[in-house]
Amino acid sequence: MSDSKSQVRYLQTEDLSFLFGHLIPTVLQATLKYNVLPKKASGFSLSLEIVKNYSSTVFDLTVTLKYTGICNKSSMVVIDVKMLSGFTPTMSSIEELENKGQVMKTEVKNDHVLFYLENVFGRADSFPFSVEQSNLVFNIQPAPVMVYDYYEKEEYALAFYNIDNSSVSERDKAITGRGGKAFLVTNRFFCIKPGKKS
C-alpha cells in the first residue's frame, strides 16, 4: 500500500480458483476519487438563515458573508449553494439579485446555485433568494453552502442549512426546542418558531 497527497494504492491478492475450478490470473482495479478541502477554513465569515415564506412549499434563504482575509478585498468570489433534496431555486428571486447588481453572474446546474461576486470587502453583504419544495422527500439531509475566492481557493468558508426537523439528530432536537425549524450556521443551531395556525 502506498500513501501520498495525490493518491492511495492498495494491492491485495486473493485465490479465486474456487470460482472456476482452476487458477485464472485476474486483476481487479477500483478507483476512488474525492475532493480534499484545506485543513482550516479562513478568509470569509459565512452565515445562513432560512425562513418559511407565505407558501407552505417556499422558503427564503439568506446567505450573508464578509471577507476576513489578509488583503483589503477578494476580487472574485463564488457562492456555491447546494439544493436540499427535493428543492429547486425560484428563478425569479435569483434573477432579481443579478438585475439589482448584487451579483455579477448566476448559474444553476446539477442541483447547485452559483453566484459570482466582484470585490467582496470586510463588510457583511447579504444575498436572499427563495427555494421551493418541488418533490416530497423524507429525512432531508443538510445541504452545504460554500464561499471561496475564485483565484485563492484556500480562502473559503463552509456552512450547512436544512428545513426539516426529521433530519436533526437527537442531540440537536434538544437544542432546537419544540416544533421549531432548525438551520445550521458554522456548526451552531438556531431555532425558528413556527407560526400560529389560522
Side-chain angles (χ1 to χ4, degrees), residues 13-30:
T13 58
E14 293 288 344
D15 182 4
L16 302 178
S17 59
F18 67 92
L19 295 176
F20 306 101
H22 57 282
L23 187 62
I24 299 176
T26 305
V27 176
L28 301 176
Q29 181 175 336

Side-chain angles (χ1 to χ4, degrees), residues 25-102:
T26 305
V27 176
L28 301 176
Q29 181 175 336
T31 302
L32 175 65
K33 295 182 179 180
Y34 57 92
N35 294 323
V36 179
L37 292 174
K39 292 184 179 179
K40 184 179 179 181
S42 64
F44 293 94
S45 171
L46 173 64
S47 64
L48 309 174
E49 182 181 11
I50 188 162
V51 179
K52 195 170 186 178
N53 203 324
Y54 60 88
S55 169
S56 61
T57 60
V58 177
F59 295 79
D60 294 328
L61 175 61
T62 300
V63 179
T64 302
L65 65 93
K66 67 178 179 179
Y67 179 66
T68 60
I70 59 175
C71 301
N72 294 328
K73 64 179 181 178
S74 179
S75 299
M76 176 74 75
V77 174
V78 179
I79 303 173
D80 184 348
V81 182
K82 174 74 168 64
M83 289 291 97
L84 295 167
S85 296
F87 278 75
T88 56
T90 303
M91 295 307 300
S92 59
S93 65
I94 293 176
E95 292 168 359
E96 185 176 357
L97 287 175
E98 194 167 348
N99 293 336
K100 287 183 176 179
Q102 289 184 264

